[in-house]
Amino acid sequence: MKNVKAEFIAVGTELLLGQIANTNAQWLSQQLARYGINVYNHTVVGDNLYRVEDAFSEAQSRADIIIVTGGLGPTEDDLTREAFQQISDLEIMEHTPSMNKIEAFFEKQKSTMTPNNRRQARVFKGSEVLDNTVGMAPGMIVKYEQKTWIFLPGVPREMKQLVKSDVIPYLQKLTGNEEIIKSTILKFTGIGESSLEHELSDIIQAQSNPTIAPLAQDDSVVIRLTAKDRSKEKVDELLKGTKQEILAKVGSYFYGVDDQTIESQIVALLKKENKHIAVAESLTGGMLTDKLISVEGASSVCHGGIVCYDTTVKQDLLGVSKELIQNKGTISEECALVMAENVREKLNASIGISCTGVAGPDEVEGKSAGLVYIAICDDTGEKFVEKFNFQGNRNSIRRRTTLKSLEILFKHLKG
Amino acid sequence: MKNVKAEFIAVGTELLLGQIANTNAQWLSQQLARYGINVYNHTVVGDNLYRVEDAFSEAQSRADIIIVTGGLGPTEDDLTREAFQQISDLEIMEHTPSMNKIEAFFEKQKSTMTPNNRRQARVFKGSEVLDNTVGMAPGMIVKYEQKTWIFLPGVPREMKQLVKSDVIPYLQKLTGNEEIIKSTILKFTGIGESSLEHELSDIIQAQSNPTIAPLAQDDSVVIRLTAKDRSKEKVDELLKGTKQEILAKVGSYFYGVDDQTIESQIVALLKKENKHIAVAESLTGGMLTDKLISVEGASSVCHGGIVCYDTTVKQDLLGVSKELIQNKGTISEECALVMAENVREKLNASIGISCTGVAGPDEVEGKSAGLVYIAICDDTGEKFVEKFNFQGNRNSIRRRTTLKSLEILFKHLKG
């Protein structure tokens, strides 16, 4: 396969004003990545002839394939053709089939076609015209001084249709790409991004196929493996081999692949073990139970729980004794353990999980914000409690407590 | 006000692979547009030293202000500092306060700091260091050959905090922008975006200062008013006047401004009335209670609740009678009302709220996904139940139920 450099230029002042996000560039990037075409730049430039020309000249000098989105519409602001003509001197002509289509559209709508709509049917002489089946302006592929220029409408629906029907097949032919490209995502919990990279640094440095890319995500640490080969079997084998190598080092932090979440894995483990769970949560206020119940099919393994935010609920509904609360307080190992035991009993569950702590910003019972206890009580007789000091504001402490509870529960179930 | 050209450079191969969209550029564009600063280019470049250098050189030659996001993190791929050093020859040094902060973070988390984390504390000598209060890597403002370079972390939460606290005030000073620009957001519930726009069409068409912009948001309908003037008093007066005009038309749907959420308004109303609330939720699985408890100071008005996802919990813990469940089912007006009554009693609350329904995808008791009952029972003696048919997948039905419950509760409290 030929190694080519691609880049994208989006034309439109609305992007520079932040009225829309450049989601076209993201989508195009995903498509090209799948076919092994390296994208080196995204550029956004406004509806200004000179600045569009500058962006085009720059791209002509450094890339092999340039995909331009936007600026092909009917208004005076749509300057993509004019700007490319300035740098290339290519002739612009009216494309009869496109013009007929536009006229037929207005006739069908029984509305008058304003003259500026003719503008959309103009194409470069000698270009390959791409039929826009969901809009007016056709796409174009133009060869200019060894570089391939692909002009597409900026409306995402129209752009995507043309990419799928015309652009991808063209690029596969152009690059001689017979390779199959496949990615998988490995997900980890209980380890930071930098520690994971540190643990895997030898493998990461030695690897090129599959490539190994750590990705920062809000609540978990994930690695994407991307393998390429002409044979589907070989691709799967490459991914499998590297996954095994990685899990040999950091398997204890691994919880799932691709779309799997830690809560979906917990629900799957509970189903497998034929167990069900009850939750007693204080500072998290329902967030932990909500995570579990968000999983399709959770009803058979999570019956519900008690949100015992206030001390009275811990006492009256959950049956934590007044003495325990007086002697140890509600933010204590002892209270967390009794909460887990009692919720398990009251809901006739196999496992009880509890969390209690200080979400902040104020202290509770003289304990500062971020102090959290998480306890598990299992009908196997096993029970334990862990203590944490989380950082952050009220809602980040609540979120961290929920995630840590899921992590502890997952590890407990995995055994 | 000085006319300046700004541009943005986002550094990160994950953008070129389409793993994330460049939403930072959209958000930054919106901010700069509000302050009258023209943005001429967005560029995205991968984690490659030479290509980042090229992008930096290009920007240095054409813009006055360059904002760079990303590439400041702890890994070997984070090359923003190195690339700028190549073009500027500026010295890089360790910033002691940032280093202390990073060390303190790892100490408090009781985790080991790997050496690569030190990388994040490096800044250019002579730069203005911007304190990242929500993450590790500080931002920097660097003057280089008449151009202003602003380096920010790529994590949106961190980038936004630094822009609000440091970058905007800096740019206003730099551009001599003495106009005060102030926005306020008016929030509505129980009315669709197009109906709201229809009701307000006269006001929207007649207005230019403040501008009135309806914003599409996921879960509520909001309007942004933006006023400009050199006098702070005049700006406030303009905003107040237009707000009054709007509320005269659609005040019955209004619930709050700016950061106020419907749940924070509910907590405020409960406090004012000296009432407290208990929640019995089935399909929402804790989400409703979680929303209320997410509000700072919720502890005095929300004691908690029961997540009665399974029928056994509705019976055993919440005391819904076997007869009612047999005759009417758990997805019924009657069950919702008893749930609200019983949770109010069991938690000694002034108000009980409940929801029960089918989240899907499967039917429950012969009722199809989306059928939901929400009930309220107040110690004033008032009680009522409402029935809904929500559309969407499992989690969108659960989210809509939560939002509708909050809306009903807010209206009930407002009286």
Side-chain angles (χ1 to χ4, degrees), chain B residues 184-222:
Chain B
T184 186
I185 286 177
L186 309 182
K187 300 184 172 182
F188 301 87
T189 183
I191 183 170
E193 193 191 350
S194 53
S195 306
L196 189 79
E197 263 189 80
H198 183 74
E199 292 281 332
L200 298 177
S201 59
D202 293 352
I203 306 179
I204 292 174
Q205 274 164 34
Q207 267 299 346
S208 63
N209 188 22
T211 55
I212 305 176
L215 305 178
Q217 289 202 342
D218 245 8
D219 289 331
S220 62
V221 171
V222 312

Side-chain angles (χ1 to χ4, degrees), chain A residues 92-111:
Chain A
I92 296 176
M93 48 174 274
E94 191 170 283
H95 184 242
T96 310
S98 297
M99 195 59 236
N100 292 344
K101 206 177 104 178
I102 294 172
E103 282 172 345
F105 173 84
F106 280 96
E107 206 165 302
K108 200 177 166 191
Q109 298 282 307
K110 302 212 186 310
S111 61

Side-chain angles (χ1 to χ4, degrees), chain B residues 14-33:
Chain B
E14 67 277 18
L15 290 154
L16 296 180
L17 290 170
Q19 289 162 358
I20 55 172
N22 191 7
T23 53
N24 281 348
Q26 181 184 21
W27 188 85
L28 276 167
S29 290
Q30 290 169 347
Q31 299 304 308
L32 268 63

Side-chain angles (χ1 to χ4, degrees), chain A residues 40-154:
Chain A
Y40 279 25
N41 279 86
H42 296 171
T43 303
V44 176
V45 64
D47 301 313
N48 173 291
L49 189 62
Y50 306 110
R51 287 195 286 275
V52 179
E53 268 179 61
D54 282 351
F56 285 1
S57 299
E58 186 72 20
Q60 172 76 21
S61 74
R62 68 185 170 197
D64 304 305
I65 298 166
I66 303 102
I67 302 183
V68 181
T69 53
L72 300 177
T75 78
E76 295 291 321
D77 278 350
D78 289 302
L79 294 165
T80 292
R81 293 181 195 82
E82 288 70 13
F84 191 67
Q85 189 177 40
Q86 289 293 323
I87 76 155
S88 69
D89 247 348
L90 289 175
E91 197 182 320
I92 296 176
M93 48 174 274
E94 191 170 283
H95 184 242
T96 310
S98 297
M99 195 59 236
N100 292 344
K101 206 177 104 178
I102 294 172
E103 282 172 345
F105 173 84
F106 280 96
E107 206 165 302
K108 200 177 166 191
Q109 298 282 307
K110 302 212 186 310
S111 61
T112 318
M113 190 184 88
T114 53
N116 54 359
N117 277 294
R118 296 191 83 87
R119 292 172 54 85
Q120 300 186 85
R122 294 171 311 139
V123 300
F124 292 105
K125 199 173 171 178
S127 64
E128 183 173 329
V129 180
L130 313 178
D131 185 21
N132 181 346
T133 60
V134 291
M136 301 273 198
M140 284 173 273
I141 300 178
V142 186
K143 281 276 185 191
Y144 174 64
E145 288 183 354
Q146 283 83 54
K147 306 301 174 76
T148 302
W149 286 78
I150 301 174
F151 296 97
L152 301 171

Side-chain angles (χ1 to χ4, degrees), chain A residues 44 224 290 293 391 398, chain B residues 19 42 108 290 394 398:
Chain A
V44 176
R224 184 199 313 253
D290 179 38
I293 290 179
Q391 309 239 357
R398 297 176 65 244
Chain B
Q19 289 162 358
H42 297 171
K108 199 168 171 199
D290 179 38
R394 175 179 179 80
R398 298 177 66 243

